[in-house]
Amino acid sequence: MNHTIAFEIIQKYEPIEEVKRAHQMSFEGFIRYMGSSECLIFKPDCRRVYQDMTHPLNDYFISSSHNTYLISDQLLGPSDLWGYVSALVKGCRCLEIDCWDGSQNEPVVYHGYTLTSKLLFKTVIQAIHKYAFLTSDYPVVLSLENHCSPSQQEVMADTLQSVFGDALLSDILDDFPDKLPSPEALKFKILVKNKKIGTLKETRERKGSNKHGQVEECEEIYQAVEDEIEGSEALVSSENNPGKEIETISRGGLPLFKKRKVKVALALSDLVIYTKAEKFRSFQHSRLYQQFNESSSIGESEARKLLKLKVALNFQTPGLPMDLQNGKFLDNGSSGYLLKPQFLRDNKTQFNPNKPPKQSDPVTLTIRLISGTQLPPSSHSSSNKADTLVILELFGVPNDQTKQQTRVIKRNAFSPRWNETFTFIIQVPELALMRFVVESQGLIAGNEFLGQYTLPVLSMNKGYRRVPLFSKLGESLEPASLFVYVWYIR
């Protein structure tokens, strides 16, 4: 540390004037400095948008949510505007809106066929308009799970246009007629994801015309349950004959797809530009036929088969999946867009998560877990004194997944000291996350969760650092923190 930086730190944090004039720092000043944001484990550079934001949208991981309108139980719980507000404040850029016909020609939002409460579609759109760009300037995708009749679809289209105005993307950008634009080109724009009739060229030709009452049918592909398709014709991707998609298949064949006709109001269809909803059939089918402006949602069960990873996230459900989601998207200024590593952007790269990449640049990460400060007390102990331990969990490609933990410090959550060193060799650091979990040891009911913090490995600051802690619900537990020393080499 050079003298100029040291002088600035002393001027900023030293409370005793006499010590400050002597260009020195007291213990109190040092504690203030170590407790400041400058000494956090998360790199300051990662708190702002620093990545190249001019790549096409498909080159980014995008922070997305599922059933965004729910804030607790998915079968009985309340639908609430806070689901959308809290997701947007956290930097979420893709919101799901489950739309159904409501009374008096007013579409409503709720989890269909359940007892969850209902919200007016108009109210949801107004809330999104207010909070869409509070945390991030980059585009928001409204993924419409659309179960509405054509007449109420027209109401939805009118609402979207009247509330969002020019922020609603309703035409192709002149510079991007046949490819996806970048987050930069779509700043402060709202994109609608829904079923679409016809081509983008036809949409442009209809611009400005009266579409009231115009309804068209489109074929929708859906995955049928096995009982439903027994003895019937289904759509399935054929490995041996990629040119033909329609086959009659036996009970044992998977996946099982059927076709059905759905009615789409042209007014709503024409608001779909770069995010046309298409049913995912297979990666092979997508490579052969998928257009640049088509996107697919993959259900968790199907995704597990494909990736052995969970994908759809309910922002209202606390726990490990949301900790990983929030931790990953801390990076790049919490903008909700993360540029994928080169090996995931290049079609020629044969990346296999189960094998280290040929061009692998592994990281050796060393963390000395020194101590904790004012950790949350145990709710299971009559004296509120926790038997504290810390688990360091590494998440990434299968070969990088591992966890290590400290010994237990008995009856001390106020200032436990561990002074233990852990080393991790990380094959694909670009996809790795580190999660610090503080627990209180429980011999009968299991360990009690006290707090956690998750961040990308490559966003970790070197040196002596403070790890802030968050509750299970994602709330800050300040001043609770861990004190660590971090070092890594490539």
Side-chain angles (χ1 to χ4, degrees):
M1 186 181 293
N2 64 40
H3 289 291
T4 304
I5 295 174
F7 178 74
E8 288 174 356
I9 291 171
I10 290 169
Q11 291 300 308
K12 193 171 182 181
Y13 296 104
E14 177 52 52
I16 304 170
E17 285 298 325
E18 188 180 348
V19 177
K20 188 187 288 188
R21 284 195 296 270
H23 294 180
Q24 295 175 346
M25 182 173 263
S26 65
F27 182 71
E28 173 63 27
F30 179 70
I31 292 298
R32 287 189 179 195
Y33 169 60
M34 293 307 297
S36 73
S37 60
E38 291 186 46
C39 291
L40 287 171
I41 193 169
F42 189 61
K43 284 181 178 176
D45 288 350
C46 298
R47 293 176 207 158
R48 58 176 180 80
V49 175
Y50 67 92
Q51 295 177 349
D52 184 350
M53 302 303 282
T54 61
H55 288 255
L57 283 178
N58 57 301
D59 276 0
Y60 297 83
F61 293 118
I62 303 175
S63 178
S64 306
S65 65
H66 177 67
N67 291 346
T68 321
Y69 45 90
L70 297 179
I71 56 171
S72 58
D73 186 88
Q74 295 197 74
L75 298 177
L76 302 170
S79 302
D80 199 291
L81 293 176
W82 179 247
Y84 290 101
V85 173
S86 62
L88 288 166
V89 167
K90 290 175 184 173
C92 183
R93 298 288 87 190
C94 182
L95 309 172
E96 185 181 56
I97 309 179
D98 213 340
C99 310
W100 299 80
D101 280 356
S103 60
Q104 298 178 318
N105 209 32
E106 282 282 358
V108 292
V109 175
Y110 80 110
H111 202 189
Y113 308 116
T114 68
L115 298 176
T116 56
S117 58
K118 297 177 175 67
L119 298 169
L120 286 178
F121 178 79
K122 178 170 60 180
T123 311
V124 168
I125 296 306
Q126 288 168 343
I128 292 170
H129 177 246
K130 185 174 182 180
Y131 290 94
F133 303 108
L134 202 66
T135 297
S136 170
D137 300 347
Y138 295 101
V140 173
V141 178
L142 304 184
S143 181
L144 303 182
E145 190 72 30
N146 186 0
H147 306 277
C148 289
S149 61
S151 63
Q152 296 211 15
Q153 289 180 38
E154 287 196 353
V155 174
M156 290 164 60
D158 289 343
T159 300
L160 290 166
Q161 289 173 306
S162 62
V163 174
F164 290 125
D166 291 341
L168 184 68
L169 187 78
S170 56
D171 193 8
I172 54 174
L173 302 182
D174 290 333
D175 293 340
F176 301 93
D178 54 3
K179 62 180 180 179
L180 284 176
S182 65
E184 189 66 32
L186 291 169
K187 263 187 171 180
F188 302 110
K189 288 293 183 184
I190 303 287
L191 280 64
V192 176
K193 181 186 173 191
N194 189 67
K195 300 175 189 73
K196 182 172 179 64
I197 302 293
T199 65
L200 287 171
K201 183 181 178 185
E202 290 167 339
T203 298
R204 173 164 267 197
E205 288 169 352
R206 286 192 292 266
K207 191 169 175 67
S209 65
N210 182 9
K211 298 161 194 171
H212 181 71
Q214 294 190 47
V215 180
E216 294 199 25
E217 281 190 337
C218 71
E219 257 184 7
E220 179 184 65
I221 306 300
Y222 71 101
Q223 196 157 347
V225 295
E226 195 166 314
D227 290 343
E228 184 184 335
I229 56 79
E230 184 177 9
S232 67
E233 196 175 72
L235 265 172
V236 51
S237 176
S238 168
E239 290 288 332
N240 300 322
N241 195 358
K244 292 184 179 178
E245 277 297 306
I246 298 178
E247 299 181 349
T248 302
I249 59 173
S250 65
R251 270 182 73 88
L254 285 174
L256 307 168
F257 294 104
K258 289 186 73 176
K259 288 190 273 188
R260 62 187 167 202
K261 299 277 189 181
V262 292
K263 292 182 177 179
V264 181
L266 210 58
L268 183 60
S269 169
D270 280 0
L271 297 182
V272 179
I273 307 300
Y274 294 116
T275 44
K276 178 184 177 183
E278 279 290 327
K279 177 69 183 177
F280 176 81
R281 305 188 211 176
S282 69
F283 287 124
Q284 184 190 33
H285 182 275
S286 295
R287 288 189 196 100
L288 288 170
Y289 303 111
Q290 190 159 326
Q291 301 299 304
F292 77 97
N293 66 325
E294 295 176 347
S295 59
S296 302
S297 298
I298 304 174
E300 285 191 22
S301 57
E302 181 66 16
R304 285 192 193 101
K305 294 175 194 171
L306 296 168
L307 302 173
K308 297 182 181 175
L309 288 173
K310 295 181 183 178
V311 286
L313 281 172
N314 300 334
F315 262 61
Q316 79 279 10
T317 309
L320 173 62
M322 275 315 304
D323 291 345
L324 298 179
Q325 163 89 1
N326 291 336
K328 184 174 183 67
F329 284 98
L330 275 179
D331 199 3
N332 202 34
S334 296
S335 64
Y337 286 83
L338 296 176
L339 187 63
K340 295 174 184 174
Q342 178 62 35
F343 56 79
L344 292 181
R345 305 197 309 262
D346 187 353
N347 290 332
K348 296 173 185 175
T349 303
Q350 297 297 314
F351 174 69
N352 183 342
N354 294 305
K355 296 178 183 175
K358 290 179 181 176
Q359 304 299 321
S360 176
D361 191 8
V363 160
T364 300
L365 171 67
T366 300
I367 298 175
R368 180 153 64 95
L369 197 71
I370 301 168
S371 62
T373 301
Q374 298 187 55
L375 304 181
S378 170
S379 59
H380 296 166
S381 165
S382 57
S383 63
N384 279 344
K385 290 189 174 177
D387 295 337
T388 52
L389 65 123
V390 180
I391 301 169
L392 287 78
E393 296 180 281
L394 189 66
F395 293 87
V397 297
N399 287 341
D400 286 342
Q401 303 259 129
T402 186
K403 68 166 70 172
Q404 301 183 48
Q405 74 175 58
T406 65
R407 69 188 189 280
V408 177
I409 304 295
K410 293 286 187 180
R411 297 171 63 79
N412 186 353
F414 187 74
S415 59
R417 294 185 183 183
W418 290 279
N419 257 324
E420 295 183 48
T421 301
F422 305 93
T423 299
F424 303 86
I425 297 173
I426 308 168
Q427 297 296 328
V428 188
E430 295 88 350
L431 298 179
L433 298 169
M434 177 59 71
R435 183 174 185 246
F436 297 86
V437 186
V438 181
E439 294 183 349
S440 177
Q441 186 184 49
L443 300 177
I444 299 173
N447 288 1
E448 177 189 358
F449 175 92
L450 298 180
Q452 70 84 34
Y453 186 70
T454 306
L455 77 165
V457 163
L458 295 182
S459 296
M460 293 173 74
N461 244 331
K462 293 179 180 178
Y464 289 99
R465 298 294 164 186
R466 186 168 60 90
V467 180
L469 294 176
F470 290 82
S471 72
K472 188 167 282 186
L473 295 175
E475 299 158 336
S476 172
L477 294 173
E478 284 280 358
S481 63
L482 300 173
F483 187 47
V484 299
Y485 180 79
V486 178
W487 189 255
Y488 53 87
I489 54 173
R490 297 188 81 156

